PDB file of all heavy atoms in Angstrom:
ATOM      1  N   VAL B  25       0.275 -27.646  14.701  1.00 70.00           N
ATOM      2  CA  VAL B  25       1.697 -27.871  14.940  1.00 70.00           C
ATOM      3  C   VAL B  25       1.787 -29.311  15.514  1.00 70.00           C
ATOM      4  O   VAL B  25       2.693 -30.131  15.101  1.00 70.00           O
ATOM      5  CB  VAL B  25       2.172 -26.835  16.040  1.00 70.00           C
ATOM      6  CG1 VAL B  25       3.500 -27.334  16.667  1.00 70.00           C
ATOM      7  CG2 VAL B  25       2.263 -25.545  15.460  1.00 70.00           C
ATOM      8  N   SER B  26       0.871 -29.661  16.517  1.00 72.00           N
ATOM      9  CA  SER B  26       0.995 -31.024  16.973  1.00 72.00           C
ATOM     10  C   SER B  26       0.729 -32.186  15.847  1.00 72.00           C
ATOM     11  O   SER B  26       1.456 -33.117  15.787  1.00 72.00           O
ATOM     12  CB  SER B  26      -0.054 -31.228  18.281  1.00 72.00           C
ATOM     13  OG  SER B  26       0.426 -30.397  19.133  1.00 72.00           O
ATOM     14  N   VAL B  27      -0.307 -31.914  15.066  1.00 82.00           N
ATOM     15  CA  VAL B  27      -0.673 -32.886  14.065  1.00 82.00           C
ATOM     16  C   VAL B  27       0.442 -33.074  13.088  1.00 82.00           C
ATOM     17  O   VAL B  27       0.903 -34.187  12.659  1.00 82.00           O
ATOM     18  CB  VAL B  27      -2.038 -32.411  13.347  1.00 82.00           C
ATOM     19  CG1 VAL B  27      -2.325 -33.541  12.124  1.00 82.00           C
ATOM     20  CG2 VAL B  27      -3.034 -32.378  14.373  1.00 82.00           C
ATOM     21  N   THR B  28       0.841 -31.922  12.527  1.00 81.00           N
ATOM     22  CA  THR B  28       2.118 -31.943  11.617  1.00 81.00           C
ATOM     23  C   THR B  28       3.328 -32.442  12.142  1.00 81.00           C
ATOM     24  O   THR B  28       4.188 -33.249  11.666  1.00 81.00           O
ATOM     25  CB  THR B  28       2.348 -30.600  10.987  1.00 81.00           C
ATOM     26  OG1 THR B  28       2.625 -29.634  12.026  1.00 81.00           O
ATOM     27  CG2 THR B  28       1.162 -30.136  10.159  1.00 81.00           C
ATOM     28  N   GLY B  29       3.511 -32.314  13.477  1.00 80.00           N
ATOM     29  CA  GLY B  29       4.704 -32.860  14.217  1.00 80.00           C
ATOM     30  C   GLY B  29       4.591 -34.408  14.287  1.00 80.00           C
ATOM     31  O   GLY B  29       5.624 -35.049  14.076  1.00 80.00           O
ATOM     32  N   ASP B  30       3.370 -34.883  14.373  1.00 82.00           N
ATOM     33  CA  ASP B  30       3.214 -36.264  14.342  1.00 82.00           C
ATOM     34  C   ASP B  30       3.498 -37.000  13.107  1.00 82.00           C
ATOM     35  O   ASP B  30       4.151 -38.029  12.818  1.00 82.00           O
ATOM     36  CB  ASP B  30       1.859 -36.728  14.815  1.00 82.00           C
ATOM     37  CG  ASP B  30       1.469 -36.465  16.315  1.00 82.00           C
ATOM     38  OD1 ASP B  30       2.530 -36.318  17.119  1.00 82.00           O
ATOM     39  OD2 ASP B  30       0.324 -36.264  16.703  1.00 82.00           O
ATOM     40  N   VAL B  31       3.032 -36.227  11.969  1.00 85.00           N
ATOM     41  CA  VAL B  31       3.427 -36.651  10.645  1.00 85.00           C
ATOM     42  C   VAL B  31       4.810 -36.690  10.377  1.00 85.00           C
ATOM     43  O   VAL B  31       5.384 -37.644   9.792  1.00 85.00           O
ATOM     44  CB  VAL B  31       2.603 -35.738   9.687  1.00 85.00           C
ATOM     45  CG1 VAL B  31       3.098 -36.073   8.269  1.00 85.00           C
ATOM     46  CG2 VAL B  31       1.062 -35.768   9.708  1.00 85.00           C
ATOM     47  N   ALA B  32       5.500 -35.655  10.842  1.00 83.00           N
ATOM     48  CA  ALA B  32       6.985 -35.485  10.558  1.00 83.00           C
ATOM     49  C   ALA B  32       7.736 -36.697  11.367  1.00 83.00           C
ATOM     50  O   ALA B  32       8.562 -37.379  10.846  1.00 83.00           O
ATOM     51  CB  ALA B  32       7.522 -34.268  11.079  1.00 83.00           C
ATOM     52  N   ARG B  33       7.291 -37.033  12.446  1.00 85.00           N
ATOM     53  CA  ARG B  33       7.871 -37.955  13.406  1.00 85.00           C
ATOM     54  C   ARG B  33       7.643 -39.342  12.735  1.00 85.00           C
ATOM     55  O   ARG B  33       8.592 -40.180  12.686  1.00 85.00           O
ATOM     56  CB  ARG B  33       7.184 -38.058  14.818  1.00 85.00           C
ATOM     57  CG  ARG B  33       8.039 -38.888  15.746  1.00 85.00           C
ATOM     58  CD  ARG B  33       7.276 -38.912  17.176  1.00 85.00           C
ATOM     59  NE  ARG B  33       7.475 -37.645  17.862  1.00 85.00           N
ATOM     60  CZ  ARG B  33       6.379 -36.838  17.962  1.00 85.00           C
ATOM     61  NH1 ARG B  33       5.137 -37.099  17.544  1.00 85.00           N
ATOM     62  NH2 ARG B  33       6.654 -35.739  18.494  1.00 85.00           N
ATOM     63  N   SER B  34       6.509 -39.569  12.103  1.00 87.00           N
ATOM     64  CA  SER B  34       6.131 -40.813  11.327  1.00 87.00           C
ATOM     65  C   SER B  34       7.157 -41.173  10.318  1.00 87.00           C
ATOM     66  O   SER B  34       7.309 -42.168   9.818  1.00 87.00           O
ATOM     67  CB  SER B  34       4.769 -40.818  10.877  1.00 87.00           C
ATOM     68  OG  SER B  34       4.598 -39.907   9.945  1.00 87.00           O
ATOM     69  N   VAL B  35       7.779 -40.047   9.704  1.00 84.00           N
ATOM     70  CA  VAL B  35       8.686 -40.192   8.534  1.00 84.00           C
ATOM     71  C   VAL B  35      10.121 -39.938   9.000  1.00 84.00           C
ATOM     72  O   VAL B  35      11.029 -39.594   8.204  1.00 84.00           O
ATOM     73  CB  VAL B  35       8.357 -39.339   7.336  1.00 84.00           C
ATOM     74  CG1 VAL B  35       7.063 -39.709   6.672  1.00 84.00           C
ATOM     75  CG2 VAL B  35       8.398 -37.863   7.712  1.00 84.00           C
ATOM     76  N   HIS B  36      10.294 -40.032  10.352  1.00 83.00           N
ATOM     77  CA  HIS B  36      11.620 -39.858  10.935  1.00 83.00           C
ATOM     78  C   HIS B  36      12.308 -38.663  10.679  1.00 83.00           C
ATOM     79  O   HIS B  36      13.480 -38.534  10.537  1.00 83.00           O
ATOM     80  CB  HIS B  36      12.604 -41.050  10.435  1.00 83.00           C
ATOM     81  CG  HIS B  36      11.895 -42.391  10.501  1.00 83.00           C
ATOM     82  ND1 HIS B  36      11.690 -42.959  11.704  1.00 83.00           N
ATOM     83  CD2 HIS B  36      11.497 -43.235   9.580  1.00 83.00           C
ATOM     84  CE1 HIS B  36      11.096 -44.225  11.435  1.00 83.00           C
ATOM     85  NE2 HIS B  36      10.928 -44.406  10.263  1.00 83.00           N
ATOM     86  N   VAL B  37      11.494 -37.455  10.822  1.00 85.00           N
ATOM     87  CA  VAL B  37      11.934 -36.140  10.902  1.00 85.00           C
ATOM     88  C   VAL B  37      11.458 -35.415  12.204  1.00 85.00           C
ATOM     89  O   VAL B  37      10.561 -35.855  12.743  1.00 85.00           O
ATOM     90  CB  VAL B  37      11.412 -35.387   9.679  1.00 85.00           C
ATOM     91  CG1 VAL B  37      11.822 -33.924   9.645  1.00 85.00           C
ATOM     92  CG2 VAL B  37      11.750 -36.017   8.317  1.00 85.00           C
ATOM     93  N   THR B  38      12.365 -34.510  12.667  1.00 84.00           N
ATOM     94  CA  THR B  38      12.005 -33.855  13.955  1.00 84.00           C
ATOM     95  C   THR B  38      10.597 -33.172  13.773  1.00 84.00           C
ATOM     96  O   THR B  38      10.201 -32.666  12.788  1.00 84.00           O
ATOM     97  CB  THR B  38      13.069 -32.655  14.263  1.00 84.00           C
ATOM     98  OG1 THR B  38      12.606 -31.989  15.313  1.00 84.00           O
ATOM     99  CG2 THR B  38      13.221 -31.721  12.978  1.00 84.00           C
ATOM    100  N   PRO B  39       9.889 -33.366  14.949  1.00 83.00           N
ATOM    101  CA  PRO B  39       8.513 -32.717  14.916  1.00 83.00           C
ATOM    102  C   PRO B  39       8.355 -31.371  14.524  1.00 83.00           C
ATOM    103  O   PRO B  39       7.384 -30.765  13.964  1.00 83.00           O
ATOM    104  CB  PRO B  39       8.049 -33.020  16.299  1.00 83.00           C
ATOM    105  CG  PRO B  39       8.778 -34.203  16.758  1.00 83.00           C
ATOM    106  CD  PRO B  39      10.143 -34.041  16.069  1.00 83.00           C
ATOM    107  N   LEU B  40       9.490 -30.594  14.953  1.00 82.00           N
ATOM    108  CA  LEU B  40       9.427 -29.090  14.503  1.00 82.00           C
ATOM    109  C   LEU B  40       9.418 -28.813  13.066  1.00 82.00           C
ATOM    110  O   LEU B  40       8.976 -27.717  12.486  1.00 82.00           O
ATOM    111  CB  LEU B  40      10.723 -28.394  15.107  1.00 82.00           C
ATOM    112  CG  LEU B  40      10.724 -28.246  16.586  1.00 82.00           C
ATOM    113  CD1 LEU B  40      12.066 -27.734  17.131  1.00 82.00           C
ATOM    114  CD2 LEU B  40       9.541 -27.463  17.193  1.00 82.00           C
ATOM    115  N   ALA B  41       9.726 -29.836  12.142  1.00 85.00           N
ATOM    116  CA  ALA B  41       9.724 -29.685  10.635  1.00 85.00           C
ATOM    117  C   ALA B  41       8.294 -29.815  10.192  1.00 85.00           C
ATOM    118  O   ALA B  41       8.133 -29.535   9.062  1.00 85.00           O
ATOM    119  CB  ALA B  41      10.684 -30.589  10.047  1.00 85.00           C
ATOM    120  N   GLY B  42       7.377 -30.410  11.000  1.00 85.00           N
ATOM    121  CA  GLY B  42       6.006 -30.709  10.497  1.00 85.00           C
ATOM    122  C   GLY B  42       5.342 -29.436   9.894  1.00 85.00           C
ATOM    123  O   GLY B  42       4.764 -29.565   8.735  1.00 85.00           O
ATOM    124  N   PRO B  43       5.322 -28.243  10.500  1.00 85.00           N
ATOM    125  CA  PRO B  43       4.673 -27.150   9.966  1.00 85.00           C
ATOM    126  C   PRO B  43       5.309 -26.772   8.588  1.00 85.00           C
ATOM    127  O   PRO B  43       4.581 -26.188   7.702  1.00 85.00           O
ATOM    128  CB  PRO B  43       4.968 -26.140  10.996  1.00 85.00           C
ATOM    129  CG  PRO B  43       5.001 -26.695  12.191  1.00 85.00           C
ATOM    130  CD  PRO B  43       5.730 -28.029  11.851  1.00 85.00           C
ATOM    131  N   PHE B  44       6.509 -26.974   8.323  1.00 88.00           N
ATOM    132  CA  PHE B  44       7.163 -26.736   7.043  1.00 88.00           C
ATOM    133  C   PHE B  44       6.705 -27.697   5.937  1.00 88.00           C
ATOM    134  O   PHE B  44       6.680 -27.356   4.859  1.00 88.00           O
ATOM    135  CB  PHE B  44       8.649 -26.603   7.196  1.00 88.00           C
ATOM    136  CG  PHE B  44       9.255 -25.496   7.785  1.00 88.00           C
ATOM    137  CD1 PHE B  44       9.525 -25.409   9.020  1.00 88.00           C
ATOM    138  CD2 PHE B  44       9.384 -24.352   7.058  1.00 88.00           C
ATOM    139  CE1 PHE B  44      10.110 -24.141   9.627  1.00 88.00           C
ATOM    140  CE2 PHE B  44       9.882 -23.072   7.604  1.00 88.00           C
ATOM    141  CZ  PHE B  44      10.156 -23.059   8.968  1.00 88.00           C
ATOM    142  N   MET B  45       6.483 -28.814   6.477  1.00 89.00           N
ATOM    143  CA  MET B  45       5.823 -29.804   5.432  1.00 89.00           C
ATOM    144  C   MET B  45       4.493 -29.459   4.993  1.00 89.00           C
ATOM    145  O   MET B  45       4.196 -29.453   3.719  1.00 89.00           O
ATOM    146  CB  MET B  45       5.719 -31.281   6.036  1.00 89.00           C
ATOM    147  CG  MET B  45       7.029 -31.873   6.409  1.00 89.00           C
ATOM    148  SD  MET B  45       6.915 -33.322   7.430  1.00 89.00           S
ATOM    149  CE  MET B  45       6.183 -34.563   6.136  1.00 89.00           C
ATOM    150  N   LEU B  46       3.715 -28.782   5.866  1.00 87.00           N
ATOM    151  CA  LEU B  46       2.497 -28.285   5.547  1.00 87.00           C
ATOM    152  C   LEU B  46       2.653 -26.960   4.578  1.00 87.00           C
ATOM    153  O   LEU B  46       1.906 -26.904   3.731  1.00 87.00           O
ATOM    154  CB  LEU B  46       1.641 -27.794   6.837  1.00 87.00           C
ATOM    155  CG  LEU B  46       0.339 -27.012   6.634  1.00 87.00           C
ATOM    156  CD1 LEU B  46      -0.753 -27.943   5.888  1.00 87.00           C
ATOM    157  CD2 LEU B  46      -0.294 -26.647   7.989  1.00 87.00           C
ATOM    158  N   ALA B  47       3.640 -26.287   5.001  1.00 88.00           N
ATOM    159  CA  ALA B  47       3.840 -25.065   4.200  1.00 88.00           C
ATOM    160  C   ALA B  47       4.264 -25.270   2.835  1.00 88.00           C
ATOM    161  O   ALA B  47       3.663 -24.669   1.810  1.00 88.00           O
ATOM    162  CB  ALA B  47       4.910 -24.193   4.886  1.00 88.00           C
ATOM    163  N   GLY B  48       4.967 -26.272   2.555  1.00 90.00           N
ATOM    164  CA  GLY B  48       5.352 -26.788   1.192  1.00 90.00           C
ATOM    165  C   GLY B  48       4.193 -27.153   0.309  1.00 90.00           C
ATOM    166  O   GLY B  48       4.079 -26.717  -0.747  1.00 90.00           O
ATOM    167  N   ALA B  49       3.423 -27.948   0.901  1.00 90.00           N
ATOM    168  CA  ALA B  49       2.117 -28.426   0.219  1.00 90.00           C
ATOM    169  C   ALA B  49       1.214 -27.140  -0.091  1.00 90.00           C
ATOM    170  O   ALA B  49       0.501 -27.095  -1.171  1.00 90.00           O
ATOM    171  CB  ALA B  49       1.536 -29.531   1.013  1.00 90.00           C
ATOM    172  N   ALA B  50       1.089 -26.258   0.900  1.00 90.00           N
ATOM    173  CA  ALA B  50       0.167 -25.232   0.713  1.00 90.00           C
ATOM    174  C   ALA B  50       0.559 -24.246  -0.230  1.00 90.00           C
ATOM    175  O   ALA B  50      -0.241 -23.660  -1.073  1.00 90.00           O
ATOM    176  CB  ALA B  50       0.032 -24.451   2.122  1.00 90.00           C
ATOM    177  N   TYR B  51       1.963 -23.896  -0.243  1.00 94.00           N
ATOM    178  CA  TYR B  51       2.399 -22.958  -1.371  1.00 94.00           C
ATOM    179  C   TYR B  51       2.393 -23.466  -2.705  1.00 94.00           C
ATOM    180  O   TYR B  51       2.017 -22.812  -3.611  1.00 94.00           O
ATOM    181  CB  TYR B  51       3.874 -22.540  -1.010  1.00 94.00           C
ATOM    182  CG  TYR B  51       3.966 -21.519   0.090  1.00 94.00           C
ATOM    183  CD1 TYR B  51       5.042 -21.523   1.032  1.00 94.00           C
ATOM    184  CD2 TYR B  51       3.101 -20.316   0.283  1.00 94.00           C
ATOM    185  CE1 TYR B  51       5.108 -20.631   2.051  1.00 94.00           C
ATOM    186  CE2 TYR B  51       3.213 -19.483   1.260  1.00 94.00           C
ATOM    187  CZ  TYR B  51       4.230 -19.440   2.111  1.00 94.00           C
ATOM    188  OH  TYR B  51       4.361 -18.635   3.070  1.00 94.00           O
ATOM    189  N   LEU B  52       2.581 -24.862  -2.854  1.00 95.00           N
ATOM    190  CA  LEU B  52       2.663 -25.407  -4.114  1.00 95.00           C
ATOM    191  C   LEU B  52       1.132 -25.366  -4.726  1.00 95.00           C
ATOM    192  O   LEU B  52       0.863 -24.974  -5.847  1.00 95.00           O
ATOM    193  CB  LEU B  52       3.173 -26.976  -4.086  1.00 95.00           C
ATOM    194  CG  LEU B  52       3.118 -27.562  -5.328  1.00 95.00           C
ATOM    195  CD1 LEU B  52       3.894 -26.893  -6.350  1.00 95.00           C
ATOM    196  CD2 LEU B  52       3.610 -29.014  -5.297  1.00 95.00           C
ATOM    197  N   ALA B  53       0.075 -25.606  -3.876  1.00 95.00           N
ATOM    198  CA  ALA B  53      -1.154 -25.665  -4.248  1.00 95.00           C
ATOM    199  C   ALA B  53      -1.640 -24.236  -4.652  1.00 95.00           C
ATOM    200  O   ALA B  53      -2.362 -24.087  -5.559  1.00 95.00           O
ATOM    201  CB  ALA B  53      -2.151 -26.132  -3.162  1.00 95.00           C
ATOM    202  N   ALA B  54      -1.207 -23.234  -3.918  1.00 94.00           N
ATOM    203  CA  ALA B  54      -1.596 -21.844  -4.329  1.00 94.00           C
ATOM    204  C   ALA B  54      -0.920 -21.488  -5.568  1.00 94.00           C
ATOM    205  O   ALA B  54      -1.665 -20.728  -6.458  1.00 94.00           O
ATOM    206  CB  ALA B  54      -0.919 -20.840  -3.197  1.00 94.00           C
ATOM    207  N   ALA B  55       0.353 -21.918  -5.962  1.00 96.00           N
ATOM    208  CA  ALA B  55       0.916 -21.564  -7.195  1.00 96.00           C
ATOM    209  C   ALA B  55       0.091 -22.174  -8.300  1.00 96.00           C
ATOM    210  O   ALA B  55      -0.056 -21.589  -9.336  1.00 96.00           O
ATOM    211  CB  ALA B  55       2.351 -22.217  -7.226  1.00 96.00           C
ATOM    212  N   LEU B  56      -0.372 -23.465  -8.105  1.00 96.00           N
ATOM    213  CA  LEU B  56      -1.072 -24.112  -9.172  1.00 96.00           C
ATOM    214  C   LEU B  56      -2.420 -23.398  -9.426  1.00 96.00           C
ATOM    215  O   LEU B  56      -2.925 -23.338 -10.546  1.00 96.00           O
ATOM    216  CB  LEU B  56      -1.332 -25.538  -8.766  1.00 96.00           C
ATOM    217  CG  LEU B  56      -0.062 -26.404  -8.748  1.00 96.00           C
ATOM    218  CD1 LEU B  56      -0.391 -27.841  -8.147  1.00 96.00           C
ATOM    219  CD2 LEU B  56       0.629 -26.488 -10.081  1.00 96.00           C
ATOM    220  N   VAL B  57      -3.185 -22.914  -8.393  1.00 96.00           N
ATOM    221  CA  VAL B  57      -4.334 -22.270  -8.465  1.00 96.00           C
ATOM    222  C   VAL B  57      -4.183 -20.947  -9.251  1.00 96.00           C
ATOM    223  O   VAL B  57      -5.000 -20.682 -10.219  1.00 96.00           O
ATOM    224  CB  VAL B  57      -4.965 -21.862  -7.196  1.00 96.00           C
ATOM    225  CG1 VAL B  57      -6.194 -20.891  -7.236  1.00 96.00           C
ATOM    226  CG2 VAL B  57      -5.523 -23.249  -6.460  1.00 96.00           C
ATOM    227  N   ILE B  58      -3.138 -20.132  -8.979  1.00 96.00           N
ATOM    228  CA  ILE B  58      -2.821 -18.958  -9.702  1.00 96.00           C
ATOM    229  C   ILE B  58      -2.498 -19.227 -11.157  1.00 96.00           C
ATOM    230  O   ILE B  58      -3.030 -18.579 -12.076  1.00 96.00           O
ATOM    231  CB  ILE B  58      -1.738 -18.014  -8.992  1.00 96.00           C
ATOM    232  CG1 ILE B  58      -2.134 -17.524  -7.655  1.00 96.00           C
ATOM    233  CG2 ILE B  58      -1.210 -17.044  -9.865  1.00 96.00           C
ATOM    234  CD1 ILE B  58      -3.169 -16.555  -7.707  1.00 96.00           C
ATOM    235  N   PHE B  59      -1.676 -20.164 -11.332  1.00 95.00           N
ATOM    236  CA  PHE B  59      -1.281 -20.440 -12.765  1.00 95.00           C
ATOM    237  C   PHE B  59      -2.408 -20.974 -13.506  1.00 95.00           C
ATOM    238  O   PHE B  59      -2.525 -20.433 -14.785  1.00 95.00           O
ATOM    239  CB  PHE B  59      -0.130 -21.488 -12.721  1.00 95.00           C
ATOM    240  CG  PHE B  59       0.421 -21.700 -14.079  1.00 95.00           C
ATOM    241  CD1 PHE B  59       1.291 -20.790 -14.643  1.00 95.00           C
ATOM    242  CD2 PHE B  59       0.071 -22.899 -14.831  1.00 95.00           C
ATOM    243  CE1 PHE B  59       1.890 -21.087 -15.874  1.00 95.00           C
ATOM    244  CE2 PHE B  59       0.549 -23.060 -16.081  1.00 95.00           C
ATOM    245  CZ  PHE B  59       1.501 -22.280 -16.677  1.00 95.00           C
ATOM    246  N   ALA B  60      -3.238 -21.652 -13.090  1.00 95.00           N
ATOM    247  CA  ALA B  60      -4.346 -22.266 -13.895  1.00 95.00           C
ATOM    248  C   ALA B  60      -5.553 -21.361 -14.023  1.00 95.00           C
ATOM    249  O   ALA B  60      -6.235 -21.372 -14.973  1.00 95.00           O
ATOM    250  CB  ALA B  60      -4.810 -23.605 -13.222  1.00 95.00           C
ATOM    251  N   ARG B  61      -5.886 -20.431 -13.010  1.00 94.00           N
ATOM    252  CA  ARG B  61      -7.096 -19.794 -13.013  1.00 94.00           C
ATOM    253  C   ARG B  61      -7.012 -18.296 -13.156  1.00 94.00           C
ATOM    254  O   ARG B  61      -8.038 -17.630 -13.549  1.00 94.00           O
ATOM    255  CB  ARG B  61      -7.764 -20.037 -11.661  1.00 94.00           C
ATOM    256  CG  ARG B  61      -8.157 -21.610 -11.345  1.00 94.00           C
ATOM    257  CD  ARG B  61      -9.181 -21.994 -12.505  1.00 94.00           C
ATOM    258  NE  ARG B  61     -10.402 -21.394 -12.458  1.00 94.00           N
ATOM    259  CZ  ARG B  61     -11.313 -21.258 -13.265  1.00 94.00           C
ATOM    260  NH1 ARG B  61     -11.100 -21.999 -14.391  1.00 94.00           N
ATOM    261  NH2 ARG B  61     -12.551 -20.548 -13.122  1.00 94.00           N
ATOM    262  N   MET B  62      -5.906 -17.631 -12.860  1.00 93.00           N
ATOM    263  CA  MET B  62      -5.851 -16.174 -13.091  1.00 93.00           C
ATOM    264  C   MET B  62      -5.652 -15.695 -14.593  1.00 93.00           C
ATOM    265  O   MET B  62      -4.740 -15.233 -14.947  1.00 93.00           O
ATOM    266  CB  MET B  62      -4.774 -15.547 -12.247  1.00 93.00           C
ATOM    267  CG  MET B  62      -4.777 -14.033 -12.170  1.00 93.00           C
ATOM    268  SD  MET B  62      -3.618 -13.377 -10.934  1.00 93.00           S
ATOM    269  CE  MET B  62      -4.489 -13.479  -9.494  1.00 93.00           C
ATOM    270  N   ARG B  63      -6.802 -15.830 -15.274  1.00 90.00           N
ATOM    271  CA  ARG B  63      -6.800 -15.444 -16.585  1.00 90.00           C
ATOM    272  C   ARG B  63      -8.197 -14.840 -16.863  1.00 90.00           C
ATOM    273  O   ARG B  63      -9.260 -15.298 -16.404  1.00 90.00           O
ATOM    274  CB  ARG B  63      -6.831 -16.656 -17.560  1.00 90.00           C
ATOM    275  CG  ARG B  63      -5.467 -17.608 -17.360  1.00 90.00           C
ATOM    276  CD  ARG B  63      -5.732 -18.811 -18.104  1.00 90.00           C
ATOM    277  NE  ARG B  63      -4.599 -19.808 -17.935  1.00 90.00           N
ATOM    278  CZ  ARG B  63      -3.587 -20.024 -18.803  1.00 90.00           C
ATOM    279  NH1 ARG B  63      -3.387 -19.262 -19.749  1.00 90.00           N
ATOM    280  NH2 ARG B  63      -2.635 -20.881 -18.436  1.00 90.00           N
ATOM    281  N   PRO B  64      -8.294 -13.617 -17.419  1.00 91.00           N
ATOM    282  CA  PRO B  64      -7.104 -12.823 -17.995  1.00 91.00           C
ATOM    283  C   PRO B  64      -6.408 -12.124 -16.765  1.00 91.00           C
ATOM    284  O   PRO B  64      -6.961 -12.120 -15.707  1.00 91.00           O
ATOM    285  CB  PRO B  64      -7.866 -11.746 -18.887  1.00 91.00           C
ATOM    286  CG  PRO B  64      -9.229 -12.166 -19.061  1.00 91.00           C
ATOM    287  CD  PRO B  64      -9.546 -13.097 -17.921  1.00 91.00           C
ATOM    288  N   ASP B  65      -5.154 -11.677 -17.128  1.00 92.00           N
ATOM    289  CA  ASP B  65      -4.336 -11.143 -16.034  1.00 92.00           C
ATOM    290  C   ASP B  65      -4.925  -9.684 -15.690  1.00 92.00           C
ATOM    291  O   ASP B  65      -5.037  -8.881 -16.621  1.00 92.00           O
ATOM    292  CB  ASP B  65      -2.929 -11.040 -16.614  1.00 92.00           C
ATOM    293  CG  ASP B  65      -1.973 -10.667 -15.561  1.00 92.00           C
ATOM    294  OD1 ASP B  65      -1.942  -9.380 -15.217  1.00 92.00           O
ATOM    295  OD2 ASP B  65      -1.293 -11.485 -14.914  1.00 92.00           O
TER     296      ASP B  65
END
């Protein structure tokens, strides 16, 4: 929370939004892993 808050502050966003920045990157990476590797279904 503190680390991502500092990242959010550095781009002029409220620190409370930092964890959501992490969430967006994490969910996108999970989607790519499933799409590329879950074969056969």
Side-chain angles (χ1 to χ4, degrees):
V25 168
S26 297
V27 175
T28 57
D30 291 340
V31 173
R33 190 181 293 109
S34 70
V35 294
H36 308 293
V37 177
T38 174
L40 290 177
F44 282 97
M45 296 172 68
L46 173 63
Y51 280 143
L52 180 59
L56 294 174
V57 167
I58 292 291
F59 185 77
R61 299 294 299 161
M62 188 174 276
R63 304 167 185 266
D65 190 279

